[in-house]
Amino acid sequence: MSFAITAAVIAATGTVMSTVATVEAGKAAEEAAERAAEEQRIAAQAEELKRREELNRVLASNILAQATSGIATEGTPASLALEQAKTIGESEGVLALSQRLRERNLLMEGRTAKSMANMQAASTLLQGASSLFSDIATIKGKKKTTSSGSKTA
């Protein structure tokens, strides 16, 4: 009888441990996705700084070239520079939006992984429920196990 109880306890513990491991794996996947999103956000900020520095260099060289060539900063060259600045601003906005969407997608992947892990844990519990109830009944001594391993009432 003690072997049957030990086996029942081990089986019940296995089901519970499998469920806990699945939930923890989901949490880990969510945390990994959050870290990846944060890393991507930092990388995007660094790239944006590089783009802005390059843009500032180009604009500064354009202004210097105009100043040394004697072109006035009024009229058509100024209008072109303003249009160029507007276009660059729109481009930066699109890049920022794209980055935010990538970051949001990573976070959603993490949440989905956690949710799927929770569903898998519930499935594991449901699959093990019948044997878990039988194991509990064995532990309480309501059923006796025969030598062949089958349970009798």
Side-chain angles (χ1 to χ4, degrees), residues 70-83:
I71 298 176
T73 56
E74 297 175 4
T76 305
S79 299
L80 290 174
L82 181 60
E83 274 305 309

Side-chain angles (χ1 to χ4, degrees), residues 7-125:
V9 168
I10 290 172
T13 302
T15 299
V16 171
M17 293 302 290
S18 175
T19 301
V20 169
T22 303
V23 169
E24 290 301 317
K27 287 179 187 177
E30 183 180 37
E31 290 170 4
E34 288 172 356
R35 278 192 308 276
E38 181 66 16
E39 289 171 2
Q40 192 172 40
R41 184 184 65 78
I42 291 169
Q45 285 177 341
E47 283 189 36
E48 182 180 355
L49 274 173
K50 286 179 187 176
R51 281 193 309 272
R52 287 181 188 257
E53 287 174 357
E54 180 63 26
L55 173 64
N56 286 338
R57 274 193 291 268
V58 168
L59 290 176
S61 69
N62 287 346
I63 291 170
L64 182 62
Q66 287 177 355
T68 56
S69 67
I71 298 176
T73 56
E74 297 175 4
T76 305
S79 299
L80 290 174
L82 181 60
E83 274 305 309
Q84 185 181 21
K86 285 180 184 177
T87 303
I88 291 168
E90 290 171 359
S91 155
E92 290 291 323
V94 169
L95 289 171
L97 174 63
S98 175
Q99 172 55 33
R100 284 193 308 270
L101 289 174
R102 279 193 300 270
E103 196 174 319
R104 187 176 298 148
N105 282 341
L106 278 173
L107 292 174
M108 285 280 261
E109 286 176 19
R111 287 186 201 116
T112 301
K114 182 180 179 184
S115 177
M116 292 299 292
N118 288 339
M119 284 189 246
Q120 180 63 38
S123 173
T124 300
L125 280 178

